[in-house]
Amino acid sequence: MPHYLTRRVSFAAAHRYRISEWSDEKNAQTFGLCARPNYHGHSYVCDVTVTGSLDAVTGFVADLGVLDTVLQREVRERFDHANINLDIPEFADGRLMPTGENLAQFIYERVQGALGSAIRVVRVTVAEDPTLSATYEPG
Amino acid sequence: MPHYLTRRVSFAAAHRYRISEWSDEKNAQTFGLCARPNYHGHSYVCDVTVTGSLDAVTGFVADLGVLDTVLQREVRERFDHANINLDIPEFADGRLMPTGENLAQFIYERVQGALGSAIRVVRVTVAEDPTLSATYEPG
Amino acid sequence: MPHYLTRRVSFAAAHRYRISEWSDEKNAQTFGLCARPNYHGHSYVCDVTVTGSLDAVTGFVADLGVLDTVLQREVRERFDHANINLDIPEFADGRLMPTGENLAQFIYERVQGALGSAIRVVRVTVAEDPTLSATYEPG
Amino acid sequence: MPHYLTRRVSFAAAHRYRISEWSDEKNAQTFGLCARPNYHGHSYVCDVTVTGSLDAVTGFVADLGVLDTVLQREVRERFDHANINLDIPEFADGRLMPTGENLAQFIYERVQGALGSAIRVVRVTVAEDPTLSATYEPG
Amino acid sequence: MPHYLTRRVSFAAAHRYRISEWSDEKNAQTFGLCARPNYHGHSYVCDVTVTGSLDAVTGFVADLGVLDTVLQREVRERFDHANINLDIPEFADGRLMPTGENLAQFIYERVQGALGSAIRVVRVTVAEDPTLSATYEPG
Amino acid sequence: MPHYLTRRVSFAAAHRYRISEWSDEKNAQTFGLCARPNYHGHSYVCDVTVTGSLDAVTGFVADLGVLDTVLQREVRERFDHANINLDIPEFADGRLMPTGENLAQFIYERVQGALGSAIRVVRVTVAEDPTLSATYEPG
């Protein structure tokens, strides 16, 4: 498909990287400052890229209203002003570590699942700040 | 080709999404606020990515002077301080809807056409604002 | 007051600078490309700065919920996806020219009027794009 | 003083706005989503502006090495990858609410205290994200 | 004056901070990496803020065409793709050190001198990058 | 690989494009203002994208500590506050021209070489300013 649309959605969230079975030392060694027990946070910026065939009448590859509704529910309402480790079951201790990599894949799965076959998600990028981002591109 | 060059060009333009055969209700339902009859506008940011073989002497994949001349004429002079629907014949009522998707493809075609075979355009991205952009990548 | 809070609100709008009694030549000479008759547009970014005494309990100088409600109604709903010349009576032909200077003062007056005496607006900046902005600071 | 220097320092931190004596309802009514018990976070961007007399030889109003050392110790080491409520005693429950307003004043006091009389801090701005910032300017 | 207009102009330049009578050690101690003999450079971003009485007809505080002509000549043509120490006599060895502070004041003087009494410059900010800027405000 | 991590590293450097065997006229004709003999400079922003298999325990595709150590040594220490033509042997006169294209490929080779087989670099982008960037993607 030659046409893509990228929509940005932001959220403010807390998280930490910590494996409870590990010692403080091993957590710090592996995760650095991100292992601090009391959590820290980021103003996350998430870009979701979709594709589809261009509608010759509307000039759209995707219904932006539908996409925005899904991003609001699956991303904003789930992650904004949340503690990712504590508030989102899939990222609880012992499950997914709330890294950018896992967040990008998780958001891909939730957004693609909600959109159904009408709109195809080809890329999700999650940036913690302007210096670090993770991207998930389904095969 | 492993080398790419991306040049940004900006323009301020008005547009609207509206199909004259449709009722106001259907236009609003399909295009939301973008259907408002009196036009609105954006500070568009357009990124054009080109590729080519690296010139071992100059270290360039493309002559930036040539590229800038083409972008000035094909993008800036055409779109800056224009009403896309009214001033650019290809986007007149009943023809192309001035969405990001159509703008990106149109700019690709004009820029690639003007550059000829010496420089190959591989991607054009048109952003309305930091939260929404469309990308065209020729096959 | 030593404490200030600045909130950003964005809107996409069309406008033109044109005095109907003037010739096309005089309009172009005075306003440049902004005088083009069919309008152009910008992704406006507006920063509103308020002050007040710091509430020792909440740590706020202003109720952000109240401020956001006012900005939504007075700025977003009035200007977003609008043609400033045609849709906003105060900027109709023969009245205020929709320059950044006049927009900043107008937004100051509307926002301060809606906020009442509880929150004092000290600065409104309206940027057309990253290279040009106008600021209004009441005396 | 006509000369100013502004240095940016960033930090990722978690916080919440919550008064333990208040009910959940009153906390939510006052602080909105910021009252959520499990904390959320931001990629804070802090700009510190200083002034001084211009050194005719070096062309500096302040020793940037000294300023950076102080910002590293007083801002980065204290706030980065921290939970402001839990890790910084002055923002513990019942003390300062970790709002932008209080953070800006607190950083002003710490940085000015560490710099001594050689460099005068005139403004500290703390932004949670590009849409909201607080500024403290000492009298 | 309650109305201000801020125009951004950018330039790419090389510079170094170095006093030829000083030893390498003293230069490095005072200026850090900026003392390196072979120069380094920045993509400078300069914001010039002007004020004036609001023209009731045009809605302008300043003639932007005049301002842009002056900024092109006094800032772009002088500094863009230049070595500030070697190409601009006022910043030659033994004269002004090309710090942000001195650049901001120098640009103020040149731009205000060229504008004459019709437009009053109230602030010039020169940023080396997003983390460091200097501002000059005439008394 | 579906997972990518992009890390940004910045550096301030001087450079020029100039072939000593060519006349001033031919240099200016080919390289424009970039041929000026006394060098100019940029605040370079470099984004390095890596991939790898996702570690199910840590949620990482790459050890960010390792990547940052390599970027510090191979990019920051080599290029920051340097004159690329004079200070970096590979870009000396008669060798590589310090264009964005060559810088991106050079940084790719150095960073990939230092990382070894554990982390695969898939893209390096080097931007001179927000309007121009070069990208290298190994085959």
Side-chain angles (χ1 to χ4, degrees):
Chain A
M1 292 291 187
H3 283 285
Y4 301 90
L5 194 71
T6 298
R7 185 60 153 178
R8 175 164 290 183
V9 58
S10 302
F11 55 92
H15 76 158
R16 70 175 186 189
Y17 300 161
R18 204 168 174 81
I19 293 177
S20 52
E21 293 79 23
W22 289 5
S23 66
D24 283 3
E25 290 68 28
K26 187 167 179 188
N27 272 301
Q29 198 173 14
T30 308
F31 298 118
L33 295 176
C34 297
R36 288 190 174 174
N38 288 334
Y39 308 97
H40 60 284
H42 301 286
S43 304
Y44 287 94
V45 174
C46 174
D47 289 311
V48 175
T49 301
V50 301
T51 192
S53 55
L54 191 73
D55 183 306
V57 175
T58 63
F60 290 153
V61 296
D63 185 320
L64 188 59
V66 168
L67 178 58
D68 280 347
T69 300
V70 166
L71 293 179
Q72 176 67 20
R73 192 180 68 225
E74 300 295 333
V75 183
R76 287 278 300 175
E77 292 177 13
R78 183 178 269 117
F79 288 106
D80 191 40
H81 285 79
N83 182 310
I84 304 177
N85 303 70
L86 297 179
D87 295 333
I88 301 169
E90 292 86 351
F91 292 94
D93 267 14
R95 304 194 64 188
L96 288 174
M97 192 67 63
T99 58
E101 290 93 323
N102 277 332
L103 287 169
Q105 181 171 353
F106 180 85
I107 290 172
Y108 162 74
E109 290 166 355
R110 284 300 171 285
V111 170
Q112 182 62 86
L115 288 172
S117 57
I119 302 177
R120 186 154 69 87
V121 182
V122 295
R123 186 182 305 117
V124 173
T125 294
V126 173
E128 284 186 2
D129 63 40
T131 73
L132 187 66
S133 67
T135 295
Y136 181 76
E137 295 182 357
Chain B
M1 292 291 189
H3 283 285
Y4 301 90
L5 195 71
T6 299
R7 185 60 153 178
R8 175 164 291 182
V9 58
S10 302
F11 54 93
H15 75 159
R16 69 174 187 190
Y17 300 161
R18 202 167 178 84
I19 292 177
S20 52
E21 292 79 23
W22 288 5
S23 66
D24 282 2
E25 290 69 27
K26 186 167 179 187
N27 272 302
Q29 198 174 14
T30 308
F31 298 117
L33 296 176
C34 297
R36 287 191 174 173
N38 288 334
Y39 309 97
H40 61 284
H42 301 286
S43 305
Y44 287 94
V45 174
C46 174
D47 289 310
V48 175
T49 300
V50 301
T51 193
S53 55
L54 191 73
D55 183 307
V57 174
T58 63
F60 291 152
V61 295
D63 185 319
L64 188 59
V66 169
L67 178 58
D68 281 348
T69 299
V70 166
L71 294 179
Q72 175 68 21
R73 193 181 66 225
E74 299 295 334
V75 183
R76 287 279 298 175
E77 291 178 13
R78 183 179 269 118
F79 288 107
D80 190 41
H81 285 78
N83 182 310
I84 303 176
N85 303 70
L86 297 179
D87 295 332
I88 301 169
E90 292 86 351
F91 292 94
D93 267 16
R95 304 194 64 187
L96 288 173
M97 192 67 63
T99 59
E101 290 93 322
N102 277 333
L103 286 169
Q105 180 171 353
F106 180 84
I107 290 172
Y108 162 74
E109 289 166 356
R110 285 301 171 284
V111 170
Q112 183 63 88
L115 287 172
S117 58
I119 302 178
R120 186 154 69 87
V121 182
V122 296
R123 186 181 305 118
V124 174
T125 294
V126 173
E128 284 186 4
D129 62 40
T131 74
L132 187 66
S133 67
T135 295
Y136 181 77
E137 295 182 358
Chain C
M1 293 290 189
H3 283 286
Y4 301 89
L5 194 72
T6 299
R7 185 60 152 179
R8 176 164 291 183
V9 58
S10 302
F11 55 93
H15 76 158
R16 69 174 186 190
Y17 301 161
R18 202 168 177 82
I19 293 177
S20 52
E21 293 79 22
W22 289 5
S23 66
D24 282 4
E25 290 70 27
K26 187 167 180 188
N27 272 301
Q29 197 174 15
T30 307
F31 298 118
L33 296 176
C34 297
R36 287 190 174 174
N38 287 335
Y39 309 97
H40 61 283
H42 302 285
S43 304
Y44 287 95
V45 174
C46 174
D47 289 311
V48 175
T49 301
V50 301
T51 191
S53 55
L54 190 74
D55 184 307
V57 174
T58 62
F60 290 152
V61 296
D63 186 320
L64 188 59
V66 168
L67 178 58
D68 280 348
T69 300
V70 166
L71 294 179
Q72 176 68 20
R73 193 181 66 224
E74 300 295 334
V75 183
R76 287 278 300 175
E77 291 178 12
R78 183 178 269 117
F79 288 106
D80 191 40
H81 285 78
N83 182 310
I84 303 177
N85 303 70
L86 296 179
D87 294 332
I88 301 169
E90 293 86 349
F91 292 94
D93 267 15
R95 303 194 65 186
L96 289 173
M97 192 67 63
T99 59
E101 291 92 322
N102 277 333
L103 287 169
Q105 180 171 352
F106 179 85
I107 289 172
Y108 162 75
E109 290 166 355
R110 284 300 172 283
V111 170
Q112 182 63 86
L115 288 172
S117 58
I119 301 178
R120 186 155 69 86
V121 182
V122 296
R123 188 180 305 116
V124 173
T125 294
V126 173
E128 283 185 4
D129 63 39
T131 74
L132 187 65
S133 67
T135 296
Y136 181 76
E137 296 182 356
Chain D
M1 293 291 188
H3 283 285
Y4 301 89
L5 194 72
T6 298
R7 186 60 153 179
R8 176 163 290 184
V9 58
S10 301
F11 55 93
H15 77 157
R16 70 174 186 191
Y17 300 161
R18 202 168 178 83
I19 292 177
S20 53
E21 292 80 22
W22 288 5
S23 66
D24 282 4
E25 290 69 27
K26 186 167 178 188
N27 271 301
Q29 196 175 14
T30 308
F31 298 117
L33 295 176
C34 297
R36 287 190 174 175
N38 287 335
Y39 309 97
H40 60 284
H42 301 285
S43 304
Y44 287 95
V45 174
C46 173
D47 288 311
V48 175
T49 301
V50 301
T51 191
S53 55
L54 191 73
D55 184 307
V57 174
T58 62
F60 290 152
V61 296
D63 184 321
L64 188 59
V66 168
L67 178 59
D68 280 349
T69 300
V70 166
L71 294 179
Q72 176 68 19
R73 192 180 69 225
E74 300 294 334
V75 183
R76 286 279 298 175
E77 291 178 13
R78 182 178 271 119
F79 288 105
D80 190 41
H81 285 78
N83 182 309
I84 304 177
N85 303 71
L86 297 179
D87 295 332
I88 300 169
E90 293 85 349
F91 292 95
D93 268 16
R95 304 195 64 187
L96 288 173
M97 192 67 63
T99 58
E101 290 93 321
N102 277 333
L103 286 169
Q105 181 171 354
F106 179 84
I107 289 172
Y108 162 74
E109 290 166 355
R110 284 301 171 284
V111 169
Q112 182 63 87
L115 287 172
S117 58
I119 302 177
R120 187 154 69 86
V121 182
V122 296
R123 188 181 305 115
V124 173
T125 293
V126 173
E128 284 185 4
D129 62 40
T131 74
L132 186 66
S133 66
T135 295
Y136 181 77
E137 296 183 356
Chain E
M1 293 290 188
H3 283 286
Y4 301 89
L5 194 71
T6 298
R7 185 60 152 179
R8 176 163 290 183
V9 58
S10 302
F11 54 93
H15 76 158
R16 70 174 186 189
Y17 301 161
R18 202 167 178 82
I19 293 177
S20 52
E21 293 79 23
W22 289 5
S23 66
D24 282 4
E25 290 69 27
K26 186 167 179 187
N27 272 301
Q29 198 175 13
T30 307
F31 299 117
L33 296 176
C34 298
R36 287 191 174 173
N38 287 334
Y39 309 96
H40 61 284
H42 301 284
S43 304
Y44 287 95
V45 174
C46 174
D47 289 311
V48 176
T49 301
V50 301
T51 192
S53 54
L54 191 73
D55 184 306
V57 174
T58 62
F60 290 152
V61 296
D63 185 319
L64 188 59
V66 168
L67 179 57
D68 280 349
T69 300
V70 166
L71 294 179
Q72 176 67 20
R73 194 180 67 224
E74 299 294 334
V75 182
R76 287 278 299 175
E77 291 178 13
R78 184 178 269 118
F79 288 106
D80 191 40
H81 284 77
N83 182 310
I84 304 177
N85 303 70
L86 297 179
D87 295 332
I88 301 168
E90 293 85 351
F91 292 94
D93 268 16
R95 304 194 64 186
L96 288 173
M97 192 69 63
T99 59
E101 291 93 321
N102 277 333
L103 287 169
Q105 180 170 353
F106 180 85
I107 290 172
Y108 162 74
E109 289 166 355
R110 283 302 171 282
V111 170
Q112 181 63 87
L115 288 172
S117 58
I119 302 177
R120 186 155 68 87
V121 182
V122 297
R123 188 181 304 116
V124 173
T125 294
V126 173
E128 284 186 3
D129 63 39
T131 74
L132 186 66
S133 67
T135 295
Y136 181 78
E137 297 182 355
Chain F
M1 294 290 189
H3 284 285
Y4 300 90
L5 194 71
T6 298
R7 185 61 152 178
R8 176 164 291 183
V9 59
S10 302
F11 55 94
H15 75 158
R16 70 174 186 190
Y17 301 161
R18 202 167 177 82
I19 293 177
S20 52
E21 292 79 23
W22 289 5
S23 66
D24 282 3
E25 290 67 29
K26 186 166 179 189
N27 272 301
Q29 198 174 14
T30 308
F31 298 117
L33 295 176
C34 297
R36 286 190 175 174
N38 288 333
Y39 308 97
H40 60 284
H42 301 286
S43 304
Y44 287 95
V45 174
C46 173
D47 289 311
V48 175
T49 300
V50 301
T51 192
S53 55
L54 191 72
D55 183 307
V57 174
T58 63
F60 289 152
V61 295
D63 185 320
L64 188 58
V66 168
L67 178 59
D68 280 348
T69 299
V70 165
L71 294 179
Q72 176 67 20
R73 193 181 67 225
E74 299 295 334
V75 183
R76 287 278 299 174
E77 291 178 13
R78 182 178 270 118
F79 288 106
D80 190 41
H81 285 78
N83 182 309
I84 304 177
N85 303 71
L86 297 179
D87 295 332
I88 301 168
E90 292 85 351
F91 292 94
D93 268 15
R95 303 192 65 187
L96 289 172
M97 193 67 63
T99 58
E101 289 92 322
N102 277 333
L103 287 169
Q105 180 171 353
F106 180 84
I107 290 172
Y108 162 74
E109 289 166 355
R110 284 301 172 283
V111 169
Q112 183 63 87
L115 287 171
S117 58
I119 303 177
R120 186 154 68 86
V121 182
V122 296
R123 187 181 305 115
V124 173
T125 293
V126 173
E128 284 186 2
D129 63 40
T131 73
L132 186 65
S133 68
T135 295
Y136 180 78
E137 297 182 355

